[in-house]
Amino acid sequence: MERRGIGHIHVACAIIERNGTVLAAQRKEGMRMALKWEFPGGKIEAEENPEACLKRELIEEMGIYIAIGHPLDPMTYQYSSFMVTLYPFVCTILSGGITLHEHADVVWLPPEELLSQDWAEADVPLIKQYLKSRQGAK
């Protein structure tokens, strides 16, 4: 992975599918982008690959163990004060019950209803890529 700049964050995120729905997580008050919705995940550590990061973060943030399926294309988004590159993976839950350690709320939504939430801006193009990939799979 390329060298990380101070203003460039690399984040692995999980598009978790269950029974035809997708998990959306709401950021807590007091966090950057408070109460915006996102796909759960977190910052990739220096010696970590995106898959290892995702497994670690989902255990830490939600107490769940995931099976990582196929990746989607990484996407970079420029906010006013920093840049983020998202490394998305379509996943399923293997075990554990969702416990909110880092989020205010979660909802399971049909894919076509994902954009009805107030998402973090970087996640919006990712949702569109995910929906397009689902159309191609049918």
Side-chain angles (χ1 to χ4, degrees):
M1 194 170 300
E2 81 271 9
R3 189 176 166 92
R4 294 164 178 78
I6 299 287
H8 191 170
I9 302 167
H10 294 262
V11 173
C13 60
I15 301 171
I16 301 173
E17 297 177 326
R18 181 184 77 182
N19 300 327
T21 61
V22 177
L23 183 72
Q26 188 179 40
R27 296 176 66 83
K28 279 186 175 178
E29 293 235 28
M31 297 176 80
R32 181 188 285 178
M33 295 180 280
L35 303 181
K36 294 275 190 180
W37 292 86
E38 66 180 3
F39 292 116
K43 293 179 190 170
I44 302 169
E45 302 292 337
E47 299 301 318
E48 196 172 45
N49 67 38
E51 294 91 339
C53 169
L54 202 51
K55 288 180 178 183
R56 175 183 56 76
E57 287 283 351
L58 273 286
I59 293 167
E60 290 174 6
E61 289 186 0
M62 297 185 160
I64 57 175
Y65 294 83
I66 58 167
I68 296 178
H70 65 277
L72 295 179
D73 294 334
M75 303 193 91
T76 300
Y77 186 86
Q78 177 68 57
Y79 286 98
S80 60
S81 59
F82 69 100
M83 183 183 304
V84 62
T85 297
L86 299 175
Y87 298 84
F89 295 87
V90 177
C91 303
T92 55
I93 297 175
L94 288 175
S95 64
I98 295 175
T99 304
L100 301 179
H101 297 290
E102 297 291 324
H103 293 92
D105 199 5
V106 294
V107 293
W108 290 96
L109 296 168
E112 61 276 8
E113 292 179 21
L114 287 170
L115 290 170
S116 67
Q117 301 299 315
D118 183 19
W119 288 83
E121 291 83 355
D123 285 83
V124 173
L126 180 54
I127 293 167
K128 293 176 180 176
Q129 179 190 176
Y130 169 69
L131 293 174
K132 191 173 183 180
S133 76
R134 286 177 44 83
Q135 290 175 344
K138 291 181 182 177

Short mmCIF file of all heavy atoms in Angstrom, two decimals, residues 17 43 67:
data_model
loop_
_atom_site.label_atom_id
_atom_site.label_comp_id
_atom_site.label_asym_id
_atom_site.label_seq_id
_atom_site.Cartn_x
_atom_site.Cartn_y
_atom_site.Cartn_z
N GLU A 17 -24.19 -8.13 4.37
CA GLU A 17 -25.49 -8.57 3.84
C GLU A 17 -26.09 -9.64 4.75
O GLU A 17 -25.36 -10.48 5.29
CB GLU A 17 -25.32 -9.15 2.44
CG GLU A 17 -24.81 -8.15 1.42
CD GLU A 17 -24.58 -8.76 0.05
OE1 GLU A 17 -24.19 -9.95 -0.03
OE2 GLU A 17 -24.77 -8.05 -0.95
N LYS A 43 -9.82 2.50 10.35
CA LYS A 43 -8.53 2.86 9.77
C LYS A 43 -7.61 1.66 9.69
O LYS A 43 -7.47 0.89 10.64
CB LYS A 43 -7.86 3.95 10.61
CG LYS A 43 -8.58 5.27 10.57
CD LYS A 43 -7.87 6.28 11.44
CE LYS A 43 -8.72 7.54 11.60
NZ LYS A 43 -8.19 8.43 12.62
N ALA A 67 -17.30 -13.00 7.73
CA ALA A 67 -16.68 -13.68 6.59
C ALA A 67 -16.57 -12.63 5.50
O ALA A 67 -17.57 -11.98 5.15
CB ALA A 67 -17.54 -14.84 6.13
#
